[in-house]
Amino acid sequence: MLFILSATLSSIALATIFISTKFHAISKSSWGQLTLFPAIWATIWCVVSYISPVGHLSTWSVAKNEDAYSWILPLLGPVSKDWIVASWAVVLAQAIGRWYIGAQESEDEFDLMNPQNQSSEHNMRATGFLALFLVFLTLPSFVWSDLPRSASLSTLNVSTPVAVGCVLPPYERYKHHILTLDDYITETDKIRSNANILLWPEGAVTFHSVAEREDAFHKIRSRINDGKYVGVSFEDVVSDPSDSTGRRSLIQTGLALISSKSNETHLSYYKRHLVPLAESYRLRHSNVPPSIFDLPLPPPKNIKKGDWAPPPNNTRLIPVTSSICLDFAMPSPFAELESKPALILAPARTWDITVGHAMWLQAKQRAEELDTMVLWCDGGEGGVSGVAGKGYNDVYQVGPGSFTRIVGVQYPFDSRQTVYASFGDSILILFWISALGLGFLRGNITRYMSPSIRSAMQHLKRGRRNGADATTQPSLLDL
């Protein structure tokens, strides 16, 4: 299976290179010919991410974003990184080709947008311009800081400290290969005094009926009566709505955010994308998109209510949403949200540390696209967990073992969406205009110019060329 997937992806990459080489002459300008391959490359992997059952995991897109182009993600999304990678490949290929073949002299005047056939010299000048543009895109990374926001009580006027935690009970403490509801409740009790929001890993417990689920939620609420919030991830066995007899059942993986402040769940979400074969044979996916819950955060100890937030509630609202594991590998999993969340609750359960790290990178990238943070809690063997986004880049923990961490959230919080969250992958249109449209535009501008303007331009061009020829001819007086 892995061999087939690798062979398919390699074939797609080779086909992309072949297509761009075969049809690069469609564009009539040097710039268009150079940027055709990046446009095709970005488009192909964008399409693959949408049609693949594992999303971005099946693409050759760059998932690590600790580089000089990371600032682009909230603006243009992951397709921009694909375009940049392909553009650098074009620059290097042109440079190596020039070094290997050697420079060729050209008598034609260079025109970046000339619709006529371009010489090698013209292509190299366009290549230099492309390389300069790619270097220019790195400059904002030297100006914009990627450090986490302060979570200190001394910066309450600009930052809200939020304590989050992952509940990952170790086997050594409970001696259960399959952890029970009581194990998770006991482990939650051990760290809840240090956290405002606690999250259980994906499918932590299984409920065989709605009544069993509600009883479990009631039991959890009675143990966390201090106003803390717990994100309970579970597998829910319910009746199949398509079966009129009610005999068939289906299983869904869900998440419910609960607290003692309400008998209703504050936030609920069911997994929308299942791992092929491993999950799809026994679980049913959901079609309901995630939503946002404005979590009212009370003031910390030793902080006056008036110094924390204005009355009457004296609470700060933290917009929270959720998604589960493989959903983060899909393109734009939060496209239906109308505002930006401050925190994404992300329970996960992977089966290998390599897969766990790959999913961590996907979750981190989705958070950076939204300019927010994600609390990633992986309950699998060798799973990686931590907080990602907004300057948090490193895995906090590998394997089981509960932990808490304090993060800083902007105050007052700016809930406006990023450019990418608003427009998605629309930047592909600009990539194709760059590859095909500019040469077409230049040709049409020349076509519709008045005869007098075209004549003047041709006369000016001949004058410059004749002047250049005169400087290269030897003087007859020296013969």
Side-chain angles (χ1 to χ4, degrees):
M1 184 67 180
L2 183 60
F3 172 78
I4 296 176
L5 179 61
S6 299
T8 302
L9 297 179
S10 300
S11 300
I12 292 175
L14 292 175
T16 303
I17 297 174
F18 173 79
I19 292 173
S20 61
T21 304
K22 187 74 173 178
F23 298 100
H24 79 283
I26 292 178
S27 182
K28 298 181 179 180
S29 68
S30 295
W31 176 263
Q33 291 176 3
L34 291 177
T35 57
L36 179 62
F37 171 66
I40 296 177
W41 184 264
T43 302
I44 287 294
W45 293 122
C46 179
V47 172
V48 169
S49 69
Y50 275 95
I51 64 177
S52 170
V54 292
H56 285 288
L57 290 178
S58 59
T59 70
W60 283 15
S61 302
V62 179
K64 290 186 177 181
N65 296 302
E66 293 87 12
D67 54 50
Y69 297 106
S70 60
W71 66 273
I72 298 179
L73 272 178
L75 300 176
L76 306 180
V79 293
S80 62
K81 302 295 287 289
D82 291 331
W83 187 89
I84 290 172
V85 169
S87 296
W88 273 119
V90 170
V91 170
L92 293 177
Q94 290 288 330
I96 294 174
R98 181 180 176 85
W99 167 79
Y100 183 76
I101 299 176
Q104 297 180 3
E105 296 183 358
S106 173
E107 298 180 355
D108 296 331
E109 180 186 1
F110 171 69
D111 185 353
L112 186 65
M113 305 309 301
N114 193 345
Q116 305 299 324
N117 292 332
Q118 303 294 315
S119 68
S120 174
E121 182 67 22
H122 294 175
N123 284 335
M124 287 310 301
R125 293 184 184 181
T127 302
F129 182 81
L130 178 59
L132 184 63
F133 176 70
L134 293 173
V135 172
F136 176 79
L137 290 179
T138 66
L139 297 182
S141 65
F142 297 99
V143 179
W144 293 355
S145 174
D146 191 32
L147 296 176
R149 186 176 296 273
S150 173
S152 171
L153 295 179
S154 62
T155 57
L156 290 180
N157 59 323
V158 295
S159 176
T160 300
V162 181
V164 297
C166 282
V167 181
L168 302 170
Y171 169 80
E172 290 75 13
R173 179 175 296 163
Y174 299 96
K175 305 300 182 182
H176 293 154
H177 292 288
I178 299 179
L179 295 167
T180 65
L181 175 65
D182 290 334
D183 293 338
Y184 278 101
I185 293 177
T186 302
E187 188 71 11
T188 301
D189 275 338
K190 293 181 180 298
I191 65 171
R192 67 184 174 90
S193 61
N194 300 322
N196 305 112
I197 305 172
L198 296 160
L199 181 62
W200 295 7
E202 178 185 1
V205 291
T206 301
F207 303 131
H208 297 89
S209 66
V210 175
E212 182 182 357
R213 183 186 64 197
E214 294 304 319
D215 289 342
F217 287 173
H218 176 74
K219 186 176 183 179
I220 297 171
R221 290 189 186 99
S222 64
R223 295 286 292 271
I224 54 170
N225 53 9
D226 52 358
K228 302 301 177 67
Y229 292 83
V230 178
V232 180
S233 182
F234 55 88
E235 288 190 355
D236 209 3
V237 181
V238 296
S239 298
D240 188 346
S242 62
D243 181 20
S244 58
T245 64
R247 295 180 178 179
R248 289 187 303 183
S249 64
L250 55 87
I251 305 175
Q252 290 183 308
T253 301
L255 171 70
L257 184 64
I258 61 177
S259 74
S260 59
K261 297 180 179 181
S262 174
N263 291 327
E264 302 293 331
T265 58
H266 301 292
L267 181 71
S268 62
Y269 175 80
Y270 284 91
K271 192 173 184 179
R272 293 191 291 169
H273 299 90
L274 306 176
V275 178
L277 301 180
E279 293 180 338
S280 59
Y281 80 96
R282 69 180 188 90
L283 299 177
R284 181 70 61 88
H285 69 88
S286 172
N287 294 317
V288 180
S291 58
I292 289 181
F293 166 64
D294 290 324
L295 187 150
L297 192 67
K301 295 180 180 179
N302 303 323
I303 298 296
K304 296 180 180 179
K305 293 183 178 181
D307 296 336
W308 177 253
N313 297 325
N314 296 112
T315 58
R316 295 186 178 185
L317 298 181
I318 308 297
V320 177
T321 189
S322 60
S323 197
I324 300 177
C325 204
L326 187 62
D327 291 340
F328 284 91
M330 301 300 159
S332 303
F334 303 98
E336 292 83 0
L337 297 181
E338 297 182 355
S339 60
K340 181 175 70 175
L343 179 66
I344 305 173
L345 302 180
R349 187 175 297 275
T350 57
W351 59 91
D352 182 79
I353 189 171
T354 303
V355 178
H357 188 250
M359 284 305 309
W360 159 267
L361 293 176
Q362 292 298 324
K364 179 175 176 291
Q365 182 161 307
R366 301 292 89 76
E368 290 174 344
E369 292 167 5
L370 300 184
D371 191 30
T372 187
M373 292 181 290
V374 57
L375 174 60
W376 181 263
C377 296
D378 191 340
E381 290 295 330
V384 299
S385 302
V387 177
K390 300 295 287 185
Y392 297 96
N393 298 313
D394 300 325
V395 173
Y396 189 83
Q397 180 174 288
V398 178
S402 302
F403 66 89
T404 61
R405 189 169 189 178
I406 301 178
V407 297
V409 175
Q410 179 188 23
Y411 179 78
F413 183 71
D414 184 4
S415 61
R416 292 177 299 177
Q417 291 184 315
T418 62
V419 175
Y420 174 72
S422 299
F423 297 99
D425 297 313
S426 303
I427 187 62
L428 286 173
I429 298 175
L430 296 182
F431 294 160
W432 281 102
I433 290 177
S434 174
L436 301 178
L438 293 181
F440 174 81
L441 179 63
R442 197 270 186 193
N444 279 276
I445 291 176
T446 305
R447 180 184 306 172
Y448 291 107
M449 281 182 180
S450 64
S452 59
I453 295 179
R454 286 203 301 267
S455 177
M457 292 179 62
Q458 292 174 359
H459 178 74
L460 180 62
K461 184 180 294 186
R462 284 196 300 268
R464 285 198 300 238
R465 183 172 298 174
N466 292 336
D469 293 341
T471 59
T472 58
Q473 292 179 355
S475 174
L476 295 177
L477 296 178
D478 295 335
L479 295 177

